[in-house]
Amino acid sequence: MRSQKLATHKACKKATIQQTNHIMMPVPLLTTLGLFIIDGNEYPASINRPAENNIIGGGALYAIIGGRIACGQSLGRQICGIIDKGSDFPAEIEDEMRTWDSGAIFRNTPDRLTSRGVNIYGEDGVRQFVYKSPKKRIVADDILQTGNLLDLRTFHFCCSIERCEETIDIFLAERAKKGILTRPKFIFEPFPEVCVAENLENLHKIMHKVDVFSPNLNEAADFYSMLVLPETPEDIEQLALKFLASSGPHGGVVLRCGALGCFVKTRGVSLMLPAYHQNQQNVVDVTGGGNSFCGAFITALELSGDWIAAGIVGNIASGVVVEKLGMPSVKGDTWNGVLFKERLATYLDANKQLLTAFDPATINWI
């Protein structure tokens, strides 16, 4: 009896994967190698705050929501990513994600529990993240075997240096076999734990393969064992230059600087773009701000071809995400009750002296 049940389960699992393989969609504008996780938060007794559960999280989902904010509803179905649904996947989470009008691909994996984790906050405010169920990574073969994801125009990595390089090489080789002559844009957001001096040589070796390298300021400083973070735009630029030196001729470095915004550095652009929220009282939870920035940045860069436009859109998307716990509410192109165009106008007006040469028509797809 047990062997019969096992055989039936394997057949069901195979059928589920085959259905996923035949999903066809418009040419993907963005997809991600990030992980989907259902998060929870636990707080110390001293702050008398109840635990929070079933929060949509993980690098994949934040990159997807960032891309969706950046491209607008009309292109939303081209923002893709694989979401593995375990046997305990909450229906209300899927319902919420479907309101985004994105191209997220739900894949049934009934033989496992959904990837879950919990953020545990200590009395000192320091956060520790612990997995509550085994994580399920998305690997290159998942992309190759799912619909037409290999035709992607941009790709978001949140992983190790070695995995980033290996996956890029696999994708480019497989695209060449299919006769796809264009090259997608790759944005690399390194895992925090790989941002150490011992990995700097390996990072520089792959930088020419990455179109956008985007660590946060702390991670960038950790690669060079800096004990004091740079604070001025001039000092931040000097740090960005260290990475740009090994980038390809058309590549760039975007340092995410939290409340300061982002620094965009290419061989033709050098600019500190302020954060969307200058009043930090409007920031509720910074979780996912970086992932959403990266998804929005690479999407906007592909649509506009303009690094400043991409930085502006990335800052706006990150600003949307940090306004509330979990994912933002969306209706069309209205995010947390505010239209994207209104947010863009607000940002440009607040920074008009800095952006005197920027043409707002560059962001013309929403």
Side-chain angles (χ1 to χ4, degrees), residues 39-201:
D39 280 340
N41 292 332
E42 294 181 2
Y43 302 96
S46 61
I47 69 170
N48 194 29
R49 180 172 175 175
E52 296 149 342
N53 298 299
N54 282 355
I55 304 169
I56 300 173
L61 269 294
Y62 281 112
I64 289 171
I65 204 70
R68 171 62 179 82
I69 293 169
C71 75
Q73 186 179 23
S74 63
L75 299 175
R77 295 286 179 176
Q78 297 180 48
I79 304 298
C80 305
I82 298 172
I83 312 302
D84 283 317
K85 297 168 50 179
S87 59
D88 60 339
F89 194 88
E92 62 270 21
I93 284 185
E94 181 171 348
D95 291 342
E96 178 180 350
M97 291 168 59
R98 290 193 182 278
T99 67
W100 302 349
D101 288 329
S102 74
I105 299 166
F106 294 92
R107 184 168 66 174
N108 291 318
T109 54
D111 58 330
R112 57 179 285 276
L113 296 175
T114 306
S115 298
R116 288 180 180 266
V118 60
N119 298 292
I120 303 173
Y121 293 87
E123 294 288 351
D124 55 0
V126 175
R127 182 185 70 170
Q128 290 184 318
F129 181 81
V130 178
Y131 280 101
K132 305 297 286 186
S133 62
K135 63 181 179 181
K136 188 177 189 307
R137 297 197 313 175
I138 302 298
V139 298
D141 196 54
D142 291 310
I143 305 299
L144 300 179
Q145 299 300 322
T146 303
N148 59 341
L149 286 185
L150 183 61
D151 299 337
L152 54 91
R153 293 167 62 184
T154 71
F155 200 89
H156 166 252
F157 291 95
C158 185
C159 61
S160 68
I161 297 167
E162 294 76 16
R163 192 167 170 229
C164 177
E165 179 181 33
E166 177 186 28
T167 308
I168 288 175
D169 290 346
I170 290 172
F171 284 175
L172 294 182
E174 290 299 319
R175 286 168 69 94
K177 289 179 184 178
K178 289 183 63 177
I180 305 174
L181 302 180
T182 57
R183 185 184 187 281
K185 290 183 175 67
F186 299 110
I187 186 168
F188 178 35
E189 175 187 359
F191 278 156
E193 57 267 29
V194 307
C195 301
V196 292
E198 298 92 297
N199 291 329
L200 187 58
E201 183 178 355

